[in-house]
Amino acid sequence: MEYYSTNGKFGSVSLRQAVVKGLAPDGGLFMPDYIEKFDHKFFEGIGGMSFPEISFEVARKFFGGDIDSGHLKKIVYDTLDFDCPVVHISDNIYSLELFHGPTMAFKDVGARFMARLLEYFVRNDSKRLNVLVATSGDTGSAVANGFLGVEGIHVYVLYPEGRVSKIQESQFTTLGRNITALEINGSFDDCQRLVKSAFSDENLNSKISLTSANSINVARFLPQSFYYFNAYARLCSDVWKSSPDTGRIIFSVPSGNFGNLTAGLFAAQMGLPVKHFIAANNENDVVCDYLKTGNYKPRASVRTIANAMDVGDPSNFARILDLYGNSWSAISRDISGYRYPDDMIRRTIGEVFSKYGYLTDPHGACACKALYDYYDEHKELRNKMEIAGVFLETAHPAKFPDTVESVVGKGKIPLPERLKTFMSGKRQVTELGADYNGFRDYLYESVK
Ligand SMILES: *Cc1c(COP(=O)(O)O)cnc(C)c1O
């Protein structure tokens, strides 16, 4: 399949080019040329299929023309060595838990898939490929763990000294092997500047192969459609116990850059029976405003307790516009927006825990609250058991101990084994200054 740019100025490229480049040369985002629908039979049988089985079928629709079936199957099965279960909360409301991967956040799915796809593409290259990633926390851990042990690729994670939480830091500084953590004596902006300078340094790029693992990469964003299908399959097999025509889902997605929600829109275009999408925002609500008014006005982000959603100009919004041919009326028919300030997010974490015994993280809490509010406005849907409300729980609550424990009480969230293991690992970091020449010389030395 070919990929075109949302800016339209740039001719189509192959999957390999789209994945290695990340961003189109005209600054647009890559989109697959067409979206193939599943037939009715697929949905009739989906309840009997496992998560990796379903995901392989979805992956084939996008990547089947570019990768042989055996390799693609291996990539999908290696990526999904953990589950994304659907957990009942109350009435017809469910949580789709996306935090069972290595770093306990949903970005694991996309990062692991992308790592394995890149590995496939560079398998015959003689030169090692080097991934540079600047992080203020969670992206670094998902990318580092996604690429851990992947042949032919080395990852450099640049992070600002003293500004990343201990849990986050431990997830990329204790790995070793093909992951190098670079502690930069500067800010996150310095880290980003170093990475950008390296990508635009022609001399450097002529000697060593560099790429980014940016979240707008098609190989990170498209695989996120897998778990929407799995949610539907598990409702078919465990809840509705019936044929697909009767069941439909309302998905509520905590959104920052809107990659996760856009992957859901792709799933719906492939025929997944979705009734409606809800975009749940914190105070960074430019898309909510757009859905209400039709005006898109990006602005600087503000800090909130759901910090992975602190985005003032969501990059994947361009993909949503493209998918709907820029039609505000079509977009606002399919997606509703809700926004919550920090105090409402805290209150929701407390209420959901006390009423239903379920602990949400600050991001999942936004999505959960939005789903309940949507039902309040659409009471006719509330008691229809063939309509399920599913909110995406994008991170484990233990990753946000300060917020969550301030609401539900100290000691209520024991640190999961997986996070404990990171915390007790041996810290291996290289300290560097914030000047570009030093960073460049370090790369030359290190790659040699
Ligand atoms: C990245 C992230 C989000 C936002 O996802 P987008 O695809 O950027 O909209 C939500 N929750 C958590 C925990 C995240 O890490």
Side-chain angles (χ1 to χ4, degrees), residues 131-425:
V131 172
L132 303 183
V133 56
T135 188
S136 55
D138 276 343
T139 303
S141 51
V143 170
N145 282 274
F147 281 84
L148 182 64
V150 167
E151 291 279 325
I153 302 178
H154 197 96
V155 176
Y156 296 90
V157 181
L158 287 76
Y159 71 103
E161 179 186 354
R163 309 209 195 163
V164 172
S165 82
K166 275 266 169 294
I167 290 185
Q168 287 174 326
E169 200 202 54
S170 70
Q171 290 180 312
F172 54 80
T173 57
T174 59
L175 299 170
R177 299 167 71 184
N178 61 328
I179 311 299
T180 300
L182 298 176
E183 186 179 51
I184 304 298
N185 184 359
S187 63
F188 171 62
D189 291 336
D190 289 323
C191 297
Q192 263 191 320
R193 178 179 46 79
L194 292 177
V195 168
K196 278 196 181 142
S197 304
F199 286 135
S200 56
D201 181 336
E202 281 181 27
N203 198 22
L204 180 70
N205 284 269
S206 69
K207 300 209 173 71
I208 61 184
S209 310
L210 295 178
T211 191
S212 79
N214 202 298
S215 69
I216 48 99
N217 198 297
V218 288
R220 266 189 71 184
F221 124 84
L222 281 174
Q224 292 168 0
S225 59
F226 298 165
Y227 40 71
Y228 286 89
F229 284 90
N230 188 54
Y232 181 75
R234 300 293 68 89
L235 287 164
C236 286
S237 60
D238 305 343
V239 179
W240 297 320
K241 302 192 195 308
S242 65
S243 70
D245 281 345
T246 56
R248 291 195 165 257
I249 303 183
I250 300 163
F251 280 112
S252 180
V253 188
S255 296
N257 263 322
F258 277 77
N260 213 3
L261 191 136
T262 307
L265 298 175
F266 271 76
Q269 298 240 339
M270 295 171 84
L272 186 70
V274 178
K275 178 146 186 72
H276 199 65
F277 285 98
I278 297 169
N281 279 162
N282 56 28
E283 287 187 277
N284 297 280
D285 58 353
V286 286
V287 176
C288 279
D289 277 354
Y290 168 81
L291 292 168
K292 287 195 185 88
T293 65
N295 297 318
Y296 182 71
K297 292 205 191 88
R299 52 177 178 261
S301 63
V302 295
R303 285 178 75 136
T304 77
I305 55 170
N307 61 357
M309 294 161 27
D310 295 351
V311 181
D313 184 9
S315 44
N316 283 288
F317 187 65
R319 284 197 167 111
I320 298 179
L321 287 176
D322 190 88
L323 209 53
Y324 284 90
N326 288 299
S327 165
W328 170 72
S329 60
I331 294 174
S332 57
R333 195 164 49 233
D334 285 358
I335 312 172
S336 300
Y338 291 83
R339 70 175 280 275
Y340 301 103
D342 281 358
D343 59 348
M344 186 55 89
I345 297 173
R346 283 203 188 85
R347 199 187 310 167
T348 303
I349 295 174
E351 278 184 15
V352 173
F353 186 62
S354 63
K355 277 192 191 155
Y356 311 118
Y358 189 77
L359 204 52
T360 49
D361 89 290
H363 308 81
C366 282
C368 180
K369 174 73 178 147
L371 189 54
Y372 279 97
D373 285 351
Y374 181 79
Y375 272 129
D376 275 348
E377 288 164 23
H378 299 83
K379 292 208 164 49
E380 73 283 3
L381 302 174
R382 194 70 180 87
N383 296 313
K384 285 203 171 124
M385 288 319 279
E386 72 273 23
I387 301 212
V390 175
F391 68 89
L392 275 58
E393 180 43 292
T394 45
H396 193 288
K399 294 192 86 172
F400 306 90
D402 295 344
T403 300
V404 178
E405 291 198 330
S406 76
V407 178
V408 302
K410 271 244 169 286
K412 281 283 193 298
I413 32 171
L415 201 60
E417 277 309 314
R418 201 164 303 163
L419 296 182
K420 256 190 224 160
T421 310
F422 283 122
M423 297 287 274
S424 61

Side-chain angles (χ1 to χ4, degrees), residues 204 435-447:
L204 180 70
D435 71 298
Y436 177 64
N437 289 350
F439 174 56
R440 180 201 56 206
D441 292 346
Y442 168 81
L443 280 180
Y444 275 132
E445 266 312 298
S446 154
V447 168

Side-chain angles (χ1 to χ4, degrees), residues 64-113:
D66 298 280
I67 309 164
D68 71 84
S69 185
H71 270 109
L72 185 57
K73 188 166 191 172
K74 184 164 163 31
I75 291 172
V76 170
Y77 278 65
D78 278 358
T79 298
L80 303 176
D81 66 350
F82 54 92
D83 197 13
C84 294
V86 174
V87 174
H88 183 233
I89 305 300
S90 80
D91 312 273
N92 51 355
I93 289 193
Y94 300 84
S95 166
L96 173 57
E97 293 187 345
L98 303 177
F99 56 72
H100 297 279
T103 73
M104 313 201 88
F106 83 95
K107 291 187 177 72
D108 284 332
V109 174
R112 288 171 67 82
F113 187 92

